[in-house]
Amino acid sequence: EAQVTQNPRYLITVTGKKLTVTCSQNMNHEYMSWYRQDPGLGLRQIYYSMNVEVTDKGDVPEGYKVSRKEKRNFPLILESPSPNQTSLYFCASSPAGGDSSPLHFGNGTRLTVT
Amino acid sequence: AQTVTQSQPEMSVQEAETVTLSCTYDTSESDYYLFWYKQPPSRQMILVIRQEAYKQQNATENRFSVNFQKAAKSFSLKISDSQLGDAAMYFCAYRIGGTSYGKLTFGQGTILTVHP
């Protein structure tokens, strides 16, 4: 089954404790990205990747890191989480060149930073 | 920068009735795509319908249709014969044509409640 798999689904942590949210897709998509969803703001792009070893900042990259060492994986790293990073996070993927192709989303990770 | 605005934070509809969700966007591009996504309580992001800006004909998917007014930069979603399963958060989204690297710009979302 074609899918984007995110883990964990829920995560509660404390300020400053490094964490990683994993994302994997099995559709051989070139493009992968991370979004955060906050009430009243919709979804905003954090980082995106065009292909292996090629990443760039989205609209709200502060406090986050990403890496793309393999085509299928695109982890999101919070090296020193803060309470303002409490949010719902989505990983998404899409094929290159398919502008009308919809994004394939993971099921989301609810992160709480206390 | 492109922006997408959904001015209705919440909407409600009676089962079997019709409801329209509003969306406006701002762009100087001529090549772009518009989408409506549904997010039920399960948090999944489900594509409802998509519209290519170069197409004049409004997209339709079963009970879902759009009213795409390119000059007015408006992209509303009409849900006919509403069902209880339509209750969800709905997001309007914009994607520039060409090299977008998969980036979507989302509106704030509209929570739709369906009353039996």
Side-chain angles (χ1 to χ4, degrees), chain B residues 3-106:
Chain B
T3 59
V4 178
T5 302
Q6 293 178 247
S7 59
Q8 306 156 316
E10 298 182 22
M11 292 284 284
S12 64
V13 64
Q14 291 292 132
E15 200 174 4
E17 298 293 306
T18 295
V19 65
T20 298
L21 307 184
S22 300
C23 173
T24 58
Y25 58 95
D26 186 23
T27 184
S28 58
E29 303 292 334
S30 59
D31 180 19
Y32 56 88
Y33 303 84
L34 297 164
F35 304 85
W36 278 99
Y37 279 88
K38 170 185 178 182
Q39 187 182 52
S42 66
R43 300 192 325 219
Q44 277 184 284
M45 292 291 286
I46 302 166
L47 178 69
V48 175
I49 200 165
R50 83 187 82 177
Q51 175 81 43
E52 291 87 348
Y54 62 84
K55 288 187 177 179
Q56 291 187 332
Q57 187 171 4
N58 289 324
T60 299
E61 290 285 344
N62 300 314
R63 299 183 294 107
F64 298 87
S65 61
V66 298
N67 183 3
F68 175 46
Q69 301 288 328
K70 192 172 183 178
K73 296 180 182 174
S74 171
F75 183 60
S76 60
L77 175 69
K78 185 171 84 171
I79 306 174
S80 304
D81 185 26
S82 296
Q83 300 176 359
L84 295 177
D86 295 333
M89 173 83 86
Y90 286 82
F91 290 101
C92 178
Y94 162 99
R95 183 177 189 174
I96 192 170
T99 308
S100 67
Y101 303 121
K103 178 179 180 178
L104 288 178
T105 300
F106 286 86

Side-chain angles (χ1 to χ4, degrees), chain A residues 7-71:
Chain A
N7 281 298
R9 192 159 169 79
Y10 297 92
L11 181 56
I12 301 174
T13 190
V14 296
T15 300
K17 186 176 182 181
K18 181 180 179 179
L19 65 90
T20 300
V21 184
T22 63
C23 174
S24 181
Q25 51 95 3
N26 63 1
M27 295 166 281
N28 202 37
H29 285 168
E30 287 76 16
Y31 301 156
M32 296 186 75
S33 51
W34 279 101
Y35 291 80
R36 62 177 288 173
Q37 180 181 343
D38 300 291
L41 297 176
L43 283 79
R44 295 175 292 167
Q45 192 185 58
I46 302 170
Y47 267 95
Y48 64 96
S49 170
M50 298 79 91
N51 215 321
V52 176
E53 301 291 4
V54 185
T55 64
D56 206 350
K57 297 176 180 178
D59 296 322
V60 287
E62 294 77 20
Y64 305 94
K65 283 178 58 177
V66 294
S67 69
R68 188 96 180 270
K69 292 183 170 54
E70 303 166 287
K71 195 171 186 179

